[in-house]
Amino acid sequence: MRCLVTGATGYLGGRLAPRLLADGHTVRCLARKAGRLRDVPWAARAEIVEGDLRKPETLPGAFEGVEVAYYLVHSLGQAGFETADREAANNFAAAAQAAGVRRIIYLGGPEPKAAGELPSAHLRSRAEVGRILLGSGVPTAVLRAAVIIGSGSASFEMLRHLTERLPGMVTPRWVRNRIQPIAVRDVLRYLIGCVDLPPEVNRSFDIAGPDVLTFQDMMQRYARVAGLPRRIILPVRALTPALSSYWVGMITPVPNSIARPLVESLVHEAVAREHDIARYVPDPPGGLTGFDEAVALALAKVRDAEVETRWSTASGPEAPAEPLPSDPKWSGGTAYTDLRERTVRAPTAALWRVIEGVGGEHGWYSFPLAWSLRGWLDRLVGGVGLRRGRRDPHRLRVGEALDFWRVEEIVPGELLRLRAEMRLPGRAWLEMRAEPAEDGRSRYLQRAVFLPHGLAGHLYWKSVAPFHAVVFGGMARNIARGAEHTVPHPT
């Protein structure tokens, strides 16, 4: 089958595309910026096309010749995400119908079970997208999943960090609501299996794992699988979804903008009402993956640094920022820069290993308290903060999130350019370069660039400039030292 995957830069799309290729399907991926998929291991085997579901004029070429189209995008975490998702779904449906697509496959969320229960904005939007696609005139399968358990998923990261960091906690009462989580491997199995659905099938399916639990149960069972003591959990009435989302945002890597709709979704019970999907995609011989096994598999991936994709890869500013302009005049005549350069008594390969290892558990090589404080301040104003970490401790890809930065460009062995995603009155980049020098040495070049927006931007730069010698200067010095310590050299 010729398959179109939207959302291939995201958590599930980035895992689905290589599995479709492995099954012998032809895969075309639609991305707003093709470069975001440049460094994924399977990029050479897929066709990458640029397009935007909110710009219908960019879609006909992407849908041409497609037999199966996957809708795996959402605007969660952005202001006005319901409107954005409605527009994108309508454009996707129209393009699929015009191109003669044979099957649409969409992963949505659960529907509230209680009669008259008002869904959260997140669930309401997911359900609306499903209705739009089902009414497109193209046979559609809507898969409705609740919490997805897998390394790197937002739901798993919330669960993992809450349980590991808080041996005791006061929680909202919704932690006692029933949920039927599903392992990411089973979600992917269903997404691939729906390729072969009969053409007359045009409906929604509940997909879920074998265990019905409360979120409280999930935390206790996670603790057991992870080898942690039993957690003390005290549910109270006072914590509203809004307050809970701020609490989740402070404890976990998931920012408030994403935590809030996820938390609001957990207020509703999410237990599968049917298992009709098994008529078309039978359960595997050993049965669906249980919760404990799903957690163990996810933890093994995290600990072995084998996380394929993460929730943070797809999340970012509402509109993708333009790359760093080469001409400072682009900013209206002002571009603030901080330049650092050091000669390193080590070859470029050693220096590059230190550069590419920046962030996450390795930190930023200078004044950890200052970086931590900046991350907390960003969290307080609704930003992503410093806790997103990194997918792999040693290797980076274009488009990946790296703490409160995004990898904008990487030239292995030479250049790493990061674009800031913290809340700022302007736009900021950080560049790190490794260049060869004489006598087997290398040269480290570091450049921070800030393009201010209005008076607030100018005042911001001037207020933080006095600290640059400590933060950026210390960073350059310690990166050089880190490279030198990895190789022997004359004293």
Side-chain angles (χ1 to χ4, degrees):
M1 290 282 189
R2 180 176 292 277
C3 302
L4 174 68
V5 178
T6 64
T9 59
Y11 177 70
L12 278 167
R15 299 188 179 208
L16 175 65
R19 285 163 176 79
L20 288 170
L21 289 166
D23 278 4
H25 298 288
T26 300
V27 175
R28 179 184 295 159
C29 297
L30 177 69
R32 286 183 295 180
K33 297 291 183 182
R36 291 281 301 274
L37 292 171
R38 188 191 71 189
D39 295 335
V40 297
W42 46 267
R45 295 182 288 134
E47 181 186 0
I48 313 298
V49 297
E50 288 195 352
D52 188 335
L53 291 180
R54 298 188 68 185
K55 297 178 180 178
E57 68 276 10
T58 68
L59 302 181
F63 280 82
E64 184 178 359
V66 168
E67 298 170 274
V68 177
Y70 285 92
Y71 190 97
L72 299 176
V73 299
H74 61 76
S75 304
L76 190 65
Q78 301 179 11
F81 70 86
E82 288 186 85
T83 300
D85 285 344
R86 181 184 308 117
E87 181 180 351
N90 277 311
N91 292 338
F92 180 98
Q97 200 279 332
V101 171
R102 293 166 51 184
R103 164 71 55 195
I104 291 173
I105 302 172
Y106 166 58
L107 180 67
E111 293 186 351
K113 304 303 183 289
E117 186 178 7
L118 295 176
S120 68
H122 174 218
L123 295 184
R124 184 171 62 238
S125 177
R126 289 296 183 95
E128 181 183 22
V129 168
R131 289 193 298 270
I132 291 170
L133 299 179
L134 287 167
S136 66
V138 178
T140 297
V142 174
L143 304 181
R144 298 187 299 215
V147 172
I148 296 177
I149 302 298
S151 59
S153 78
S155 298
F156 179 72
E157 289 299 297
M158 282 175 51
L159 174 67
R160 180 165 76 97
H161 284 80
L162 286 173
T163 307
E164 291 186 355
R165 297 186 176 192
L166 299 175
M169 64 195 91
V170 175
T171 64
R173 290 197 305 168
W174 52 253
V175 298
R176 291 177 175 168
N177 290 346
R178 296 186 308 155
I179 304 168
Q180 197 165 353
I182 182 169
V184 66
R185 57 163 52 184
D186 290 329
V187 174
L188 292 166
R189 185 172 166 277
Y190 285 131
L191 286 170
I192 295 170
C194 283
V195 165
D196 297 319
L197 287 176
E200 66 272 13
V201 175
N202 185 63
R203 56 162 292 183
S204 298
F205 296 94
D206 287 343
I207 60 171
D211 300 311
V212 176
L213 307 165
T214 66
F215 201 84
Q216 180 172 331
D217 294 334
M218 290 166 61
M219 287 191 285
Q220 297 292 14
R221 288 175 65 162
Y222 177 96
R224 185 170 69 241
V225 172
L228 301 171
R230 183 174 177 82
R231 275 22 203 164
I232 300 171
I233 301 172
L234 178 63
V236 298
R237 182 186 296 270
L239 283 175
T240 65
L243 289 174
S244 299
S245 67
Y246 284 111
W247 165 62
V248 170
M250 296 300 288
I251 300 298
T252 79
V254 183
N256 294 344
S257 59
I258 294 177
R260 181 161 186 169
L262 290 179
V263 166
E264 288 174 346
S265 301
L266 293 173
V267 172
H268 309 290
E269 291 206 335
V271 178
R273 289 174 287 187
E274 43 83 9
H275 190 48
D276 296 349
I277 189 67
R279 292 165 49 193
Y280 306 100
V281 185
D283 292 349
L288 296 170
T289 309
F291 176 80
D292 290 0
E293 183 184 0
V295 168
L297 289 168
L299 282 176
K301 293 289 187 181
V302 171
R303 289 166 179 167
D304 294 341
E306 295 179 354
V307 180
E308 283 183 72
T309 58
R310 297 180 69 228
W311 63 272
S312 56
T313 302
S315 64
E318 289 190 20
E322 294 297 321
L324 173 64
S326 58
D327 183 358
K329 293 180 180 179
W330 178 94
S331 67
T334 302
Y336 293 111
T337 60
D338 182 275
L339 302 174
R340 309 281 167 174
E341 180 177 341
R342 295 190 71 89
T343 299
V344 183
R345 293 181 296 168
T348 55
L351 175 57
W352 177 252
R353 283 194 295 272
V354 179
I355 291 174
E356 194 175 10
V358 72
E361 294 183 359
H362 297 160
W364 292 87
Y365 303 119
S366 73
F367 203 179
L369 180 60
W371 287 95
S372 179
L373 179 61
R374 185 64 184 87
W376 278 103
L377 290 174
D378 194 51
R379 284 273 178 167
L380 290 175
V381 296
V384 296
L386 201 63
R387 287 216 193 97
R388 291 191 300 183
R390 49 185 293 158
R391 179 191 58 85
D392 184 290
H394 307 295
R395 298 288 181 265
L396 294 172
R397 299 174 184 166
V398 166
E400 285 191 324
L402 178 60
D403 290 330
F404 48 43
W405 305 90
R406 178 82 55 180
V407 180
E408 183 174 275
E409 181 57 273
I410 183 167
V411 179
E414 298 178 22
L415 167 69
L416 174 62
R417 181 187 301 134
L418 308 175
R419 186 182 72 242
E421 289 190 342
M422 72 280 281
R423 296 291 180 91
L424 291 169
R427 295 164 55 195
W429 291 263
L430 178 62
E431 282 187 341
M432 291 167 274
R433 292 179 180 269
E435 295 182 352
E438 297 176 351
D439 302 325
R441 301 185 181 193
S442 57
R443 184 177 297 106
Y444 174 67
L445 299 97
Q446 177 180 295
R447 179 171 70 139
V449 180
F450 182 69
L451 305 181
H453 287 173
L455 178 61
H458 293 278
L459 293 176
Y460 170 81
W461 179 266
K462 294 182 185 301
S463 68
V464 299
F467 303 100
H468 286 172
V470 175
V471 176
F472 291 134
M475 183 177 181
R477 182 170 56 253
N478 291 328
I479 285 177
R481 287 175 178 171
E484 292 170 347
H485 289 164
T486 64
V487 294
H489 55 80
T491 56

